[in-house]
Amino acid sequence: MRSDVTHFRCEIEDGIARIALNRPERKNPLTFESYAELRDWFRDLVYADDVHAVVILPNGGNFSSGGDVHEIIGPLTDMTMKELLAFTRMTGDLVKAMLGCGKPIVAAVDGICAGAGAIMAMASDLRIATPEAKVAFLFNRVGLAGCDMGACAILPRIIGQGRAAELLYLGRSMSAAEGHAWGFFNSVTEADTLEGAAMEMAGRIAAGPTFANSMTKTMLAQEWSMSLEQAIEAEAQAQAICMQGKDFRRAYEAFVRKEKPVFEGD
């Protein structure tokens, strides 16, 4: 998997990719270029056998302030409908790429996490925050609908319809305490332990049965649109596939020997 990206930081080690937007002086806003590069990177991640988990980190005390006011918001006001639709489809494609990348994603959220930054946290599989984290889906505060990049589909599934409606209609910030109580954040930790906590969680995932984890991620996304009967059948097929894998036998043989299994992802 390539780490020679231009518009965000990326380091890959021991099966874990650590990425972060890299404009801390501006609270890490997204630009047209960083949107596109992130979309393409997550799309390529499907084929990266050397990456088993992803951690999205803050930079300079903030996660992301969302779309850059001067480099995105301003130019959008002068675009044609066709150009605007191309942009909104591109931003949505980033979320689709994150959901479809096959690798569990841990978002480590500190400070400002707004707009598209909040969407990236939302589209991650697991989220850890600092007490200073503030998450805002502030699209209506710039005159837009709250239904951006899948927010109306994904956010209610995480925190519930009423709470999601409150955040999307009001555009207000959700505190770390609220986010933890509502199920948006899996845990809250201090800033100096945030990266370590996220890496520890990602490390546990990467040490697990990585093919099976990829199947879990796929099912979590695909079953949204299935009936219960379809979901049960899809899971039966997914589990039968995993039972053909060598990790399943490794786990059984380790159990018999009363040892901890060592998974290899095949």
Side-chain angles (χ1 to χ4, degrees):
M1 183 65 193
R2 57 187 289 264
S3 59
D4 58 333
V5 293
T6 302
H7 299 286
F8 60 97
R9 287 168 36 194
C10 179
E11 299 173 358
I12 299 172
E13 187 177 0
D14 297 329
I16 302 171
R18 295 186 298 171
I19 68 172
L21 291 164
N22 200 24
R23 299 177 71 192
E25 74 284 355
R26 299 280 299 279
K27 299 180 181 177
N28 306 310
L30 285 140
T31 64
F32 293 116
E33 294 78 16
S34 58
Y35 267 123
E37 191 170 42
L38 282 164
R39 174 203 60 195
D40 295 343
W41 187 85
F42 275 107
R43 281 177 172 172
D44 291 343
L45 200 56
V46 176
Y47 309 104
D49 291 335
D50 60 328
V51 176
H52 307 307
V54 178
V55 175
I56 308 178
L57 293 167
N59 191 358
N62 293 290
F63 191 76
S64 172
S65 56
D68 190 281
V69 173
H70 301 293
E71 296 183 40
I72 286 187
I73 306 300
L76 289 178
T77 62
D78 294 322
M79 286 186 183
T80 65
M81 180 62 71
K82 184 177 180 180
E83 292 170 330
L84 291 168
L85 185 57
F87 169 73
T88 54
R89 283 176 171 164
M90 178 185 71
T91 63
D93 282 344
L94 169 57
V95 173
K96 289 189 282 186
M98 291 177 67
L99 297 176
C101 72
K103 323 291 181 177
I105 304 170
V106 181
V109 181
D110 188 18
I112 299 300
C113 178
I119 295 290
M120 288 185 65
M122 177 194 76
S124 300
D125 298 275
L126 300 157
R127 289 160 292 274
I128 302 174
T130 69
E132 292 74 34
K134 293 180 174 59
V135 179
F137 299 85
L138 42 66
F139 307 108
N140 83 322
R141 289 169 59 181
V142 296
L144 297 176
C147 55
D148 198 60
M149 300 172 69
C152 285
I154 302 173
L155 190 59
R157 290 179 167 90
I158 300 173
I159 64 173
Q161 185 81 4
R163 290 165 175 163
E166 179 181 340
L167 296 182
L168 297 177
Y169 279 127
L170 300 181
R172 74 166 180 84
S173 293
M174 172 177 60
S175 69
E178 282 180 316
H180 191 207
W182 292 357
F184 188 82
F185 291 121
N186 296 86
S187 62
V188 177
T189 188
E190 295 299 325
D192 59 354
T193 57
L194 176 65
E195 182 171 348
M199 290 297 294
E200 191 273 337
M201 182 175 285
R204 291 172 61 188
I205 292 170
T210 53
F211 177 81
N213 286 340
S214 176
M215 191 69 77
T216 299
K217 176 155 183 152
T218 298
M219 289 296 100
L220 282 168
Q222 290 187 355
E223 290 183 35
W224 290 355
S225 59
M226 294 181 185
S227 68
L228 183 56
E229 288 187 358
Q230 290 172 324
I232 292 172
E233 173 59 23
E235 292 191 3
Q237 294 180 22
Q239 205 70 301
I241 292 170
C242 290
M243 288 173 180
Q244 286 286 302
K246 294 180 182 179
D247 275 345
F248 182 54
R249 179 169 292 278
R250 288 188 187 100
Y252 166 71
E253 292 174 349
F255 178 81
V256 171
R257 296 192 302 267
K258 297 183 179 179
E259 297 175 354
K260 183 178 180 179
V262 177
F263 296 116
E264 298 182 22
D266 58 351

